[in-house]
Amino acid sequence: IVTGPESVDLEAGETKTLELQINMPETSTEGVIAGGIQLMKANQEDTISEEGGSRIINQYAYVIAMLLQESEETLTPDLNLNSVFAGQNNYRNAIFVGFSNIIPSLLNNMTVETQMNAKGNDAVVYERKQTAMRMAPHSFIQFPVSMNGERMVSGTYVANILVTSGDQRWAWTEEFEITQDDADKFNERDVGLVQEKGLNWQLIALIV
């Protein structure tokens, strides 16, 4: 939809206007089309540092948001729950709540609240609340709920999810399962749990 030059040359202290070509689709488009223009200085690969035996290339870029729409009509956002599943966030055990904004409209000032408990037990084992969130049109999110450094335990769980934005409200109750294979796999990979294990003396003795 939007095209522009691949690169722009600037002298020291020089300013240029970047011209972009916008070609909207032939058919009418409802709602908002969201995107961005990424700007990055060229030849950043030349700034390479060798630290601690690692080769690090620092590249910096920033994005200018662009919103396109053909009418002033405002569409009302709507959310769909996709799935709830076990996984890892930054190599730490977590439960993910996946949901989508299925309308081409921005969702602002969104609050997500989640509580999870083992099936048949009302005691909350994991929970998280996040405010001041936003969702782009036709986008999805996988909202992580940390297990707080605990080992993942197999079983059937129930997730209670509440998402609010202004007067809008979405509430879901979703049952999900953590298999023994998944629990073992993620516990083995959780960096916090690995550190707790300490030294593997049997392995050290074998190596010696």
Side-chain angles (χ1 to χ4, degrees), residues 14-65:
E14 184 182 8
T15 300
K16 286 185 179 180
T17 299
L18 181 66
E19 295 186 356
L20 302 173
Q21 180 70 35
I22 301 176
N23 298 307
M24 294 297 285
E26 294 182 0
T27 57
S28 177
T29 301
E30 293 184 339
V32 175
I33 301 173
I37 305 166
Q38 178 175 279
L39 304 176
M40 183 170 65
K41 185 179 179 181
N43 302 319
Q44 294 193 58
E45 295 84 357
D46 297 339
T47 57
I48 301 175
S49 64
E50 305 283 347
E51 296 182 5
S54 300
R55 193 166 187 260
I56 301 173
I57 302 175
N58 293 316
Q59 293 185 322
Y60 300 93
Y62 62 97
V63 176
I64 297 176

Side-chain angles (χ1 to χ4, degrees), residues 165-196:
S165 175
D167 295 333
Q168 291 184 278
R169 183 178 184 274
W170 298 270
W172 304 294
T173 298
E174 184 75 3
E175 187 174 301
F176 66 98
E177 182 181 3
I178 300 177
T179 66
Q180 187 62 55
D181 288 344
D182 281 343
D184 293 341
K185 175 179 65 176
F186 294 131
N187 287 334
E188 188 67 26
R189 297 176 181 175
D190 189 303
V191 292
L193 296 177
V194 171
Q195 291 174 357
E196 289 178 0

Side-chain angles (χ1 to χ4, degrees), residues 81-84 117 157-161 172-176:
L81 178 67
N82 300 327
S83 60
V84 181
N117 57 276
Y157 295 81
V158 178
N160 293 289
I161 307 134
W172 304 294
T173 298
E174 184 75 3
E175 187 174 301
F176 66 98

